[in-house]
């Protein structure tokens, strides 16, 4: 009997231990105007699905699961935000999906790190990358160093997990390294200004295929983007306003997605849900599409302005949200 009792106690202990392990991390989300009835958490390093959550009868997403400490992405439809998760967290999110990044507020255990990520996403979207990338090398290097120091001070001034700070600093370093590489390519691409533009012939969301030559006689403002690109999505409202302002003018607005083929339906869904205007095209081989390689595009969003004769006005044009962009168009179209 004693042996049976001990065996039962061991079994109960194992079951309790397993239950606890599987419940080490709790996540809850209350989302107004949600984009769907499912949330997905993906590993930021490899993009693999970690957890899929269905909305419950109370309109909440809630689940418990074990995670490896690190950075993740939370997807509500095609919109996403960055997360820092680890076992022991009891994280609660409140958000309005119509005002996605700006409305994010976390509470509970793990809120400090994730509120930092949410606020950092907003500040990054407002940073003047256009003027930074337009700077000469000396000014660019100076501003990059200033930004790096500023990012470090922001983290060090808050009570954040040391592991989180380490990961975020590495993330910042990767971003700055990419920015430095991109800037060198911008300087190189500007040498293309005035020369004939490389062409394309891609699938049109409206049907058939469209090539650059179809717009001969008009200026063409090209937006190279992807559904997974946060800064690309951030430009959508400004691009819509610009399209509306210059409607009927001698210019076409063309968006070229470099999403992978597996995300073709996601591309179509975003165009419909976001009511994207202009000419919406899907590149034939994502980053390795000939048009992308010819322009040596290594980062997005990327904007290109072509004149009515098919010559490049600006191989790295200003973003729609930049006042400089409308100044250029006003000078050309009015």
């Amino acid at each position: 009997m004693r042996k049976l009792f001990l065996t039962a106690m061991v079994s109960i202990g194992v079951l309790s231990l397993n239950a606890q392990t599987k419940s080490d991390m709790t996540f809850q989300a209350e989302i107004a105007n949600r984009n769907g009835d499912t949330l997905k958490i993906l590993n930021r390093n490899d993009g693999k699905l970690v957890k899929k959550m269905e909305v419950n009868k109370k309109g909440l997403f809630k689940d418990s699961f074990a995670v490896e400490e690190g950075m993740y992405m939370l997807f509500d439809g095609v919109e996403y935000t960055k997360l820092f998760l680890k076992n022991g967290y009891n994280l609660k999110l409140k958000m309005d999906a119509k005002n996605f990044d700006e409305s994010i507020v976390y509470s509970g255990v793990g809120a400090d790190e994730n509120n930092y990520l949410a606020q950092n996403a907003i500040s990054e979207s407002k940073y003047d990358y256009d003027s930074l990338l337009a700077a000469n090398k000396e000014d660019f290097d100076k501003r990059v160093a200033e930004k790096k120091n500023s990012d470090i001070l922001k983290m060090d001034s808050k009570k954040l997990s040391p592991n989180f700070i380490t990961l975020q600093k590495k993330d910042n370093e990767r971003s700055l390294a990419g920015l430095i590489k991109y800037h060198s390519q911008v300087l190189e691409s500007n040498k293309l200004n005035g020369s004939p533009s490389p062409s394309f012939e891609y699938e049109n969301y409206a049907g058939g295929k469209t090539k650059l030559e179809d717009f001969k006689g008009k200026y063409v403002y090209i937006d190279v983007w992807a559904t997974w690109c946060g800064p690309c999505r951030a430009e959508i409202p400004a691009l819509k306003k610009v399209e509306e302002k210059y409607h009927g003018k001698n210019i076409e607005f063309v968006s070229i997605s470099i999403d992978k083929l597996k995300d073709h339906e996601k591309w179509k869904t975003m165009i419909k849900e976001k009511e994207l205007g202009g000419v919406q095209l899907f590149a034939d081989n994502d980053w390795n599409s000939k048009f992308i390689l010819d322009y040596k595009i290594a980062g997005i969003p990327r904007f290109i302005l072509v004149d009515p004769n098919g010559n490049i006005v600006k191989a790295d044009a200003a973003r729609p949200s930049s006042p400089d962009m409308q100044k250029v168009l006003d000078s050309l179209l009015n």
Side-chain angles (χ1 to χ4, degrees):
M1 177 67 72
R2 177 178 176 82
K3 183 177 180 182
L4 180 61
F5 175 78
L6 288 174
T7 302
M9 291 301 295
V10 169
S11 298
I12 292 171
V14 170
L15 289 172
S16 299
L17 180 60
N18 287 341
Q20 183 180 358
T21 301
K22 292 177 181 177
S23 305
D24 272 344
M25 159 76 205
T26 300
F27 184 85
Q28 176 179 307
E30 181 180 347
I31 303 177
N33 301 304
R34 63 181 184 268
N35 292 314
D37 293 334
T38 303
L39 290 183
K40 294 179 180 179
I41 295 178
L42 275 63
N43 189 302
R44 195 164 186 268
N45 291 325
D46 56 22
K48 290 183 179 179
L49 180 67
V50 173
K51 178 59 65 173
K52 181 178 179 181
M53 291 175 282
E54 304 285 343
V55 66
N56 63 24
K57 293 179 181 179
K58 295 181 180 180
L60 300 175
F61 300 91
K62 187 174 182 180
D63 208 342
S64 297
F65 49 95
V67 293
E68 290 185 12
E69 183 173 353
M71 297 294 186
Y72 294 82
M73 295 180 293
L74 174 71
F75 279 83
D76 173 29
V78 294
E79 297 277 10
Y80 79 92
T81 186
K82 189 175 170 184
L83 291 174
F84 175 74
L85 303 179
K86 73 177 196 176
N87 292 331
Y89 271 10
N90 184 6
L91 193 60
K92 297 178 181 179
L93 163 66
K94 288 193 71 172
M95 177 179 71
D96 184 340
K98 282 190 175 180
N99 194 25
F100 201 87
D101 291 324
E102 291 80 1
S103 67
I104 291 175
V105 177
Y106 294 96
S107 60
V109 181
D112 289 343
E113 288 77 14
N114 287 286
N115 280 324
Y116 173 88
L117 289 175
Q119 292 301 312
N120 190 58
I122 295 172
S123 63
E124 282 294 299
S125 69
K126 294 178 179 178
Y127 187 83
D128 190 1
Y129 283 102
D130 281 336
S131 65
L132 176 63
L133 292 171
N136 60 43
K137 191 174 188 311
E138 182 180 355
D139 290 341
F140 174 84
D141 290 343
K142 179 181 178 182
R143 288 179 60 182
V144 164
E146 290 172 349
K147 188 177 189 311
K148 181 178 181 179
N149 291 333
S150 174
D151 289 342
I152 291 172
L153 286 173
K154 277 196 298 183
M155 279 186 286
D156 290 346
S157 66
K158 299 180 182 295
K159 295 179 180 179
L160 301 172
S161 157
N163 287 347
F164 169 81
I165 291 175
T166 298
L167 288 174
Q168 185 63 16
K169 283 182 177 179
K170 287 181 179 178
D171 214 13
N172 289 344
E173 287 170 3
R174 282 194 294 267
S175 296
L176 289 177
L179 196 65
I180 292 168
K181 181 179 178 181
Y182 183 61
H183 181 255
S184 67
Q185 291 170 341
V186 166
L187 296 178
E188 189 66 25
S189 68
N190 284 337
K191 296 176 183 178
L192 297 172
N193 295 345
S195 63
S197 173
S199 188
F200 55 75
E201 186 174 9
Y202 295 142
E203 175 192 347
N204 191 321
Y205 173 77
K209 287 191 173 184
T210 298
K211 57 182 181 292
L212 180 61
E213 289 74 17
D214 293 336
F215 307 112
K216 190 170 183 180
K218 292 184 176 183
Y219 285 96
V220 186
Y221 184 71
I222 301 170
D223 168 21
V224 181
W225 72 295
T227 59
W228 48 261
C229 170
C232 300
R233 297 197 312 274
E235 290 294 325
I236 289 174
L239 182 57
K240 284 185 173 182
K241 289 179 181 178
V242 170
E243 289 173 354
E244 184 179 350
K245 177 179 178 180
Y246 296 99
H247 181 73
K249 299 286 187 179
N250 191 39
I251 187 169
E252 289 282 354
F253 293 89
V254 178
S255 295
I256 300 176
S257 165
I258 59 169
D259 278 290
K260 292 186 179 297
L261 184 59
K262 67 180 180 65
D263 293 323
H264 184 265
E265 288 303 313
K266 185 185 292 186
W267 166 70
K268 293 173 73 174
T269 299
M270 179 172 278
I271 292 172
K272 183 178 180 180
E273 289 182 350
K274 296 291 184 181
E275 299 179 335
L276 303 186
V279 179
Q280 297 291 332
L281 306 180
F282 194 87
D284 57 5
N285 195 19
D286 52 82
W287 288 100
N288 294 310
S289 302
K290 190 174 186 304
F291 181 79
I292 306 304
L293 295 175
D294 286 344
Y295 268 99
K296 299 178 181 178
I297 295 174
I300 54 175
R302 173 72 172 271
F303 299 92
I304 300 164
L305 184 61
V306 178
D307 74 12
N309 296 314
N311 295 319
I312 302 169
V313 177
K314 193 72 175 172
D316 189 59
R319 299 184 180 200
S321 58
S322 169
D324 292 339
M325 184 266 192
Q326 294 192 38
K327 289 177 184 176
V328 170
L329 293 187
D330 286 341
S331 68
L332 294 172
L333 300 172
N334 293 330

